[in-house]
Amino acid sequence: MTYLLALFAVSLSSASAVLPTRLPPGNYEIQKNKYNLELPKELRSEFREDSLSRAKVWRQPQVDIERANLAETEQAADGFKYENEVICKWAPSIKLGGATAKFMCTLPNGDTVKVKYAKKGKANPEIQGEVAASRLFRALGFGADRVYMVRTLRCFGCPSDPWSLTTQMHSHSPQMQRDFYRRYGQQDRNGNYVYEPDYGDWTDFENVAIERRLEGRRIEAKDDQGWSYSELAKLDPRMGASSRAEIDALRLLSSFVQHSDNKRDNQVLVCQDSAFNGSRCQRPFAAPHDLGSTFGSGAGGTGHSKFDVEDWAKTPIWKNGCEALVNTSLTGG
């Protein structure tokens, strides 16, 4: 684990380029349906069950496992390197769950990505944890988002703590929502309060994690459905799903990294067909979605740790000597 710590340690000594002080031209319109498979409501449940029964959880990695180097990012045209300085436009209309500081931001090419950051004066171990775990999963052939750590991200429209504002904006409490719009919004001609960020201003965030979602479009019968680890029993190798050895390997790897924030909406079932014809998904794939709560104790309740070498080293992998153990966190985000 010392290797992983060294792997994701960062240097702040590099000189920064001059970043623009105005939002660059681009396509910043949010593509709401880009990541979800659009299906008739009455077919969604049956379609999901059929896809899950045939889903793969493992595929041959692009680089042979023995030659994998977790210090290197995947060779992808839309990837990032640490020294990159990224420009984006805040997308506060997109609701996010969990308890970790994060926000959605749209790049000039129209891609909307999730950004995890550390609040001023506080650490956010999910940044390093998600980068490390997602690269390990993908290097071994399992699914995960592509997560990159970059030195500087300039977010146009962002306040210093966008997570605080979006949690109020999308709060389950109507009173908190009203208080937010009255404090930060303006009245339109009909007297309704609306909120519009100041895209003429910006905030710079240092050492953030940028997430690009797993390839494919989500298969869900309802919003943020995901899948639970107990549902892996529905995967049927006779129907074309992954073998039991591959499924058990996913469980064991999840135990090894202590993927403790493993609630249903932190796993995804996606259709990886290059051109979906609207009938049956030919390439369903199931994978973890948020691997931030990893490499820690994974202890239940509020006392769990994330990306903590000492706690992780003391956390057992096995229960009763033969069952992989993942301790579920109540406060992961």
Side-chain angles (χ1 to χ4, degrees):
M1 188 56 194
T2 304
Y3 169 72
L4 282 172
L5 280 175
L7 189 62
F8 297 104
V10 296
S11 170
L12 304 180
S13 60
S14 302
S16 296
V18 178
L19 294 171
T21 57
R22 293 184 180 180
L23 185 67
N27 174 23
Y28 295 99
E29 184 177 352
I30 298 172
Q31 304 173 51
K32 294 182 179 180
N33 297 325
K34 181 177 180 180
Y35 298 107
N36 292 331
L37 201 62
E38 294 300 307
L39 297 166
K41 190 173 183 180
E42 64 274 13
L43 298 180
R44 291 177 188 172
S45 180
E46 181 180 352
F47 189 95
R48 178 185 180 273
E49 291 300 310
D50 172 67
S51 298
L52 186 62
S53 70
R54 298 180 293 106
K56 300 285 189 183
V57 300
W58 185 87
R59 59 195 173 190
Q60 186 66 40
Q62 294 180 352
V63 178
D64 291 340
I65 293 174
E66 61 270 19
R67 296 193 295 110
N69 184 350
L70 301 188
E72 296 179 354
T73 58
E74 293 183 48
Q75 298 300 312
D78 61 356
F80 300 96
K81 295 182 178 179
Y82 174 68
E83 60 269 20
N84 290 158
E85 294 174 313
V86 179
I87 304 295
C88 64
K89 180 182 179 182
W90 189 30
S93 63
I94 301 177
K95 183 179 179 180
L96 292 169
T100 301
K102 61 179 95 60
F103 60 91
M104 301 299 291
C105 215
T106 305
L107 304 171
N109 68 355
D111 290 345
T112 301
V113 296
K114 182 192 292 184
V115 180
K116 285 189 177 181
Y117 68 99
K119 292 186 177 184
K120 188 175 181 180
K122 296 184 179 180
N124 184 353
E126 285 206 14
I127 294 173
Q128 292 86 352
E130 189 167 10
V131 173
S134 63
R135 290 191 188 178
L136 178 60
F137 269 63
R138 291 180 70 92
L140 294 177
F142 298 96
D145 297 320
R146 288 180 292 135
V147 186
Y148 306 89
M149 192 170 183
V150 300
R151 177 177 58 194
T152 305
L153 179 138
R154 175 161 291 183
C155 173
F156 282 85
C158 272
S160 59
D161 186 10
W163 174 241
S164 177
L165 265 66
T166 52
T167 52
Q168 296 174 60
M169 183 188 309
H170 299 291
S171 172
H172 294 296
S173 165
Q175 184 61 51
M176 183 172 288
Q177 286 192 21
R178 287 193 292 269
D179 291 345
F180 166 81
Y181 281 102
R182 288 171 179 166
R183 180 176 181 181
Y184 297 103
Q186 295 180 338
Q187 282 185 302
D188 60 18
R189 63 179 64 185
N190 298 319
N192 299 315
Y193 282 90
V194 295
Y195 175 72
E196 181 68 21
D198 180 4
Y199 291 114
D201 199 1
W202 72 87
T203 298
D204 287 344
F205 296 88
E206 303 293 331
N207 301 318
V208 300
I210 299 179
E211 171 197 298
R212 284 197 176 278
R213 290 187 177 185
L214 174 71
E215 304 86 346
R217 298 170 69 185
R218 294 188 180 193
I219 301 171
E220 296 177 323
K222 54 186 178 181
D223 292 342
D224 299 322
Q225 184 174 22
W227 53 266
S228 64
Y229 271 72
S230 62
E231 286 190 290
L232 289 175
K234 295 181 178 180
L235 274 64
D236 189 346
R238 297 169 300 178
M239 299 289 290
S242 278
S243 67
R244 288 302 167 197
E246 293 167 350
I247 296 169
D248 286 346
L250 172 61
R251 291 190 177 104
L252 182 57
L253 180 58
S254 298
S255 175
F256 174 73
V257 302
Q258 280 302 301
H259 172 36
S260 58
D261 189 14
N262 51 47
K263 55 184 179 287
R264 292 174 64 98
D265 60 359
N266 272 352
Q267 276 70 243
V268 292
L269 176 65
V270 298
C271 180
Q272 296 192 319
D273 295 1
S274 56
F276 177 64
N277 63 12
S279 57
R280 198 184 202 201
C281 177
Q282 301 302 315
R283 297 175 58 214
F285 198 88
H289 165 55
D290 188 335
L291 288 165
S293 295
T294 46
F295 297 112
S297 65
T302 59
H304 75 289
S305 64
K306 308 173 186 179
F307 207 68
D308 185 304
V309 182
E310 293 184 359
D311 278 358
W312 181 60
K314 294 183 292 187
T315 302
I317 293 177
W318 299 104
K319 176 183 179 182
N320 300 326
C322 61
E323 183 179 351
L325 174 67
V326 178
N327 294 304
T328 301
S329 151
L330 299 181
T331 58

